[in-house]
Amino acid sequence: NAGVTQTPKFRVLKTGQSMTLLCAQDMNHEYMYWYRQDPGMGLRLIHYSVGEGTTAKGEVPDGYNVSRLKKQNFLLGLESAAPSQTSVYFCASSLDRATDTQYFGPGTRLTVL
Amino acid sequence: AQSVTQPDIHTTVSEGASLELRCNYSYGATPYLFWYVQSPGQGLQLLLKYFSGDTLVQGIKGFEAEFKRSQSSFNLRKPSVHWSDAAEYFCAVGALSSGGSYIPTFGRGTSLIVHP
């Protein structure tokens, strides 16, 4: 039981490049989330999903897209990376409500030059 | 919209001393409240949570928190801090969004420094 895993752990992009971050969970959780963590800002919700095939915007969705084609996977895409997207990205999942305990992945450190 | 305030960016305590980390929330109804801990380079781990019932909640690693509705607070406490408690602590509130789902909002975190 791996819990929540994130791929990759580190990535460096140039401005304008695109990439996809992968989050996978093996706990059969319905809810999945993507957060970004910046110094002094805590965690801010980018997008979330309440089930397979559904997505919704969080607090800071601009510049990101997501997809939840399979229940266990939640992908975060950056179509045209900007330096402002330099951050640590965390994925989380919870059983069937956002009020359930969230289980977090180890994070992806992204640098955009 | 809900919000969470953690007034202290940093807190320093001596090992063995007691600890209290402050958290204030803003939400119109009864909130769902959480405390998470983040060790350096790691993801977040749940310490404890409050939904209803007894306002004093026990969590893992010897932590507890008390929900005070009149003060809109959910402060985290530990009677005796260990060096391994040095970490970032986040308070969060889960509240009903306009889309009908309960969505968590995190505070900005408090960094705990433990002196030997």
Side-chain angles (χ1 to χ4, degrees):
Chain A
N1 191 339
V4 179
T5 58
Q6 293 182 231
T7 309
K9 289 184 169 52
F10 303 94
R11 186 71 186 269
V12 178
L13 291 178
K14 294 181 179 178
T15 297
Q17 287 185 318
S18 63
M19 77 163 294
T20 300
L21 306 183
L22 171 64
C23 175
Q25 53 93 6
D26 60 2
M27 298 175 282
N28 201 35
H29 285 176
E30 291 293 335
Y31 277 60
M32 296 186 75
Y33 318 80
W34 275 108
Y35 294 92
R36 60 177 291 173
Q37 184 177 34
D38 302 293
M41 298 297 292
L43 274 77
R44 291 182 291 171
L45 184 63
I46 305 171
H47 287 280
Y48 65 99
S49 168
V50 301
E52 181 179 315
T54 73
T55 63
K57 294 180 180 179
E59 179 185 356
V60 288
D62 293 342
Y64 305 95
N65 56 77
V66 288
S67 64
R68 183 99 180 267
L69 299 180
K70 294 182 178 181
K71 186 177 183 178
Q72 63 268 34
N73 296 337
F74 194 31
L75 278 63
L76 177 71
L78 287 73
E79 290 186 351
S80 180
S84 61
Q85 294 178 305
T86 294
S87 188
V88 181
Y89 292 85
F90 286 99
C91 176
S93 69
S94 61
L95 183 57
D96 58 9
R97 295 184 305 175
T99 49
D100 291 318
T101 300
Q102 292 196 25
Y103 293 85
F104 284 80
T108 295
R109 184 172 294 275
L110 174 66
T111 302
V112 183
L113 303 175
Chain B
Q2 70 274 16
S3 66
V4 177
T5 300
Q6 293 181 248
D8 304 308
I9 297 174
H10 304 282
T11 293
T12 302
V13 299
S14 298
E15 191 170 16
S18 63
L19 169 71
E20 183 170 28
L21 300 181
R22 296 183 291 166
C23 172
N24 294 97
Y25 68 90
S26 173
Y27 183 56
T30 300
Y32 297 86
L33 295 162
F34 307 81
W35 274 100
Y36 285 84
V37 62
Q38 183 182 30
S39 298
Q42 304 293 318
L44 278 70
Q45 179 187 22
L46 180 72
L47 284 175
L48 47 80
K49 58 186 176 183
Y50 171 80
F51 292 164
S52 63
D54 192 346
T55 57
L56 185 62
V57 182
Q58 301 297 320
I60 63 171
K61 304 185 181 185
F63 286 92
E64 66 178 26
E66 186 171 13
F67 171 59
K68 293 185 178 180
R69 184 187 300 277
S70 61
Q71 299 177 18
S72 297
S73 69
F74 189 56
N75 294 350
L76 182 70
R77 301 194 294 248
K78 186 170 185 177
S80 178
V81 171
H82 188 263
W83 64 266
S84 60
D85 293 324
E88 190 88 14
Y89 290 80
F90 293 93
C91 181
V93 58
L96 192 61
S97 71
S98 58
S101 300
Y102 278 91
I103 297 303
T105 298
F106 284 81
R108 295 189 174 191
T110 297
S111 179
L112 175 64
I113 301 165
V114 180
H115 281 315

